[in-house]
Amino acid sequence: LVDGEVVETVSSMQSREGVAKETRVVDFPGHQRLRGGLEAALDRATGVVFLLDASALSNQAKAAAELLFALMTREQPVEVLVLCNKKDIQGAKTPARVKLTLATEIETLRKTAGTIASTGDDDEAAAPKGALATDGKFFNFDQHAPAKITFLPFSANADDLTPVSEFLAGCA
């Protein structure tokens, strides 16, 4: 977005900032060791673009769900665009499959957090808040997420960034 074109990338261990069409963009790596710095970036965020490797969902589902759960239980939840990347690779999961898999993982996290909070074992537990309290129903992004979460198929190698630009423009 910042460079105005798709560029070759590698996994990085540091964030990168820039401006794209008058919107401040922060590219933040998803590695667990870097999550401490994520809070500061999220405090200024009006939207989050979450890039997920749809060809390796089974390896990433739990970590991705944990991050989405943390985003949804923040005091100020923001809209999220989940890009199900690598749609062009055989075996990549569809956005519907990604959504269902992550909802299943979030349901487990939601129940676990609720159990910990109700037993008083952990004062810092992220108990289900607001819309994450599902009144006994299975977690559903469309019904229970406190802010809009959109899932789209994507290929960083083949697709243009129009959906991302439109999403960010809508969040500004």
Side-chain angles (χ1 to χ4, degrees):
L1 286 172
V2 172
D3 297 329
E5 63 184 352
V6 177
V7 295
E8 281 296 314
T9 62
V10 293
S11 296
S12 66
M13 294 299 283
Q14 60 187 22
S15 64
R16 180 176 173 228
E17 291 190 37
V19 176
K21 297 182 182 177
E22 301 181 22
T23 300
R24 188 173 142 275
V25 178
V26 178
D27 178 7
F28 203 92
H31 195 280
Q32 181 68 36
R33 290 188 296 172
L34 303 172
R35 297 270 167 86
L38 181 59
E39 282 299 315
L42 287 174
D43 286 343
R44 300 183 314 256
T46 56
V48 172
V49 178
F50 193 99
L51 188 68
L52 181 76
D53 184 345
S55 71
L57 182 62
S58 60
N59 296 334
Q60 297 181 352
K62 185 175 181 184
E66 288 171 352
L67 191 48
L68 284 172
F69 184 80
L71 286 170
M72 290 187 291
T73 55
R74 292 175 49 82
E75 291 224 10
Q76 295 294 329
V78 296
E79 285 190 41
V80 178
L81 172 61
V82 179
L83 293 178
C84 304
N85 193 32
K86 300 187 181 177
K87 70 176 185 181
D88 49 344
I89 293 180
Q90 186 172 3
K93 305 300 184 243
T94 65
R97 173 56 67 187
V98 170
K99 190 175 187 178
L100 179 61
T101 301
L102 293 178
T104 301
E105 291 289 340
I106 288 171
E107 177 66 10
T108 301
L109 291 168
R110 191 189 66 73
K111 285 181 177 178
T112 302
T115 301
I116 290 171
S118 69
T119 60
D121 291 343
D122 187 356
D123 291 337
E124 299 296 316
K129 299 177 187 173
L132 286 187
T134 63
D135 298 327
K137 297 178 182 173
F138 187 84
F139 177 81
N140 179 299
F141 282 101
D142 298 327
Q143 296 174 5
H144 304 120
K148 185 177 179 182
I149 300 182
T150 304
F151 291 78
L152 292 178
F154 191 72
S155 171
N157 293 327
D159 291 342
D160 70 19
L161 297 171
T162 300
V164 177
S165 296
E166 290 173 353
F167 170 77
L168 293 174
C171 292

